[in-house]
Amino acid sequence: MEFRHLGRSGLMVSEISYGNWITHGSQVEEDAAKQCVRAALDEGITTFDTADVYAGTKAEEVLGRALAGVRRESLEIFTKVYWPTGQGPNDRGLSRKHITESLHGSLRRLQTDYVDLYQAHRFDYETPLEETLKTFDDLVRQGKVLYVGVSEWTAEQIGRALKIADEMGFDRLVSNQPQYSMLWRVIETEVVPLSEKEGVGQIVFSPIAQGVLTGKYLPGQPPPAGSRATDPAGGDFISRMLNDDVLTHVQRLGPIAADLGLSMAQLAVAWVLQNPNVSSAIVGASRPEQVRDNVRASGVRLDAEVLKKIDDALGPVVERDPAKTVSPRRRP
Ligand SMILES: NC(=O)c1ccc[n+]([C@@H]2O[C@H](COP(=O)([O-])OP(=O)(O)OC[C@H]3O[C@@H](n4cnc5c(N)ncnc54)[C@H](OP(=O)(O)O)[C@@H]3O)[C@@H](O)[C@H]2O)c1
């Protein structure tokens, strides 16, 4: 496993990290979840990503149990706040009240005194940015959070937050967690250039497009049994990418991966890691074999000719519009 700096910070992260959205506390039983975490640790992954909202807070509990007993200093544990964790109007968003309360819940569930990275899971239009950033800064001073970041923020939002932090002397954002894959490249024109200039690293999610880039979903065929597409919680999210046009183009990546001696999943993870602004690619897995498959992408270099072949194979199904980075106008 190779390691990278998280943005311009001193923190090192494994360039492939493991995330537990959809899986822990929901799609997979606790045993399988623990086996995936064990496989991740065995393969050299040290960075784990979760969120308060995953599986209605159960995912953090499962990860906390799976990592219990592992030397804390050998791990980087990331979690997030924003999406609802309860019924009340203050059980959501990025207010001082919710951020503080949610972090305390996350620490309890994760069985740790601090998280390495605390991320604003979306931009909250209903809270002054100063309030959010001051609260993050306070939690850093209290030692409960070591670094702060965001997820799916636009370049303008990240830039505004950095300006406030510089003016007020608050801790700066070190990372952004966007969706990024061969199929979804919306960060490339605005978020990445700003982030490179400002020392913000991308921790990218769904690098395998939730499984689509493994090539296991075939055009005109029902999804394979036991896959995310057949899961009641995951099916809705992946369905947006499961159309025959996308799936037909994805099948063209098979020979490119085979020529390189890679699985399609490895090619997908290696592709996001070619972007130097990417600090880590967060992979998900419902089985330990998938973790073992995906980590082989660490250290793989793809040359310009291969990158061009990938672009030619996918052609029109690649999404590049920066306007697709959106947070809800009202809190959910
Ligand atoms: N910040 C955000 O808003 C946000 C949003 C989404 C995700 N995330 C983070 O990013 C992490 C990863 O997201 P993701 O799960 O969508 O990523 P992904 O790595 O693109 O997809 C993972 C899923 O694809 C399938 N898969 C993975 N490797 C495979 C392989 N080698 N062979 C066959 N199937 C394979 C598995 O699903 P099946 O076996 O069920 O088919 C697995 O659960 C999440 O856990 C979370 O930490 C963050």
Side-chain angles (χ1 to χ4, degrees), residues 206-219:
S206 303
I208 313 171
Q210 302 193 47
V212 170
L213 287 168
T214 63
K216 70 182 177 182
Y217 297 101
L218 300 172

Side-chain angles (χ1 to χ4, degrees), residues 18-23 27 49-51 54 80 83 119 121-122 151-152 177-179 204-212 214 216-217 226-229 231 238 263 265-266 269 282-287 289-291 293-294:
Y18 175 76
N20 72 353
W21 175 58
I22 304 279
T23 52
Q27 182 194 8
D49 182 76
T50 186
Y54 293 170
K80 319 186 192 77
W83 295 101
Q119 305 158 101
H121 211 155
R122 287 299 181 271
S151 173
E152 284 286 327
Q177 186 177 132
Q179 180 178 171
V204 304
F205 73 77
S206 303
I208 313 171
Q210 302 193 47
V212 170
T214 63
K216 70 182 177 182
Y217 297 101
S227 62
R228 182 172 294 184
D231 178 68
I238 196 175
S263 70
Q266 288 161 0
V269 178
I282 321 171
V283 299
S286 63
R287 302 163 179 67
E289 310 83 85
Q290 295 175 349
V291 180
D293 181 14
N294 302 344

Side-chain angles (χ1 to χ4, degrees), residues 234-253:
D236 262 8
F237 292 100
I238 196 175
S239 63
R240 297 173 215 153
M241 276 175 296
L242 291 179
N243 69 68
D244 280 357
D245 192 22
V246 171
L247 299 183
T248 303
H249 283 83
V250 166
Q251 286 304 311
R252 299 181 187 158
L253 299 172

Side-chain angles (χ1 to χ4, degrees), residues 123 125 129 152-162 173 327:
F123 188 83
Y125 289 95
L129 195 43
E152 284 286 327
W153 283 27
T154 63
E156 189 276 328
Q157 290 160 347
I158 295 169
R160 196 147 36 102
L162 292 170
L173 304 177
S327 293

Side-chain angles (χ1 to χ4, degrees), residues 166-186:
D166 289 345
E167 284 169 4
M168 308 292 288
F170 296 158
D171 226 61
R172 291 187 115 225
L173 304 177
V174 297
S175 63
N176 176 45
Q177 186 177 132
Q179 180 178 171
Y180 188 50
S181 70
M182 291 192 267
L183 289 170
W184 194 265
R185 308 188 191 180
V186 307

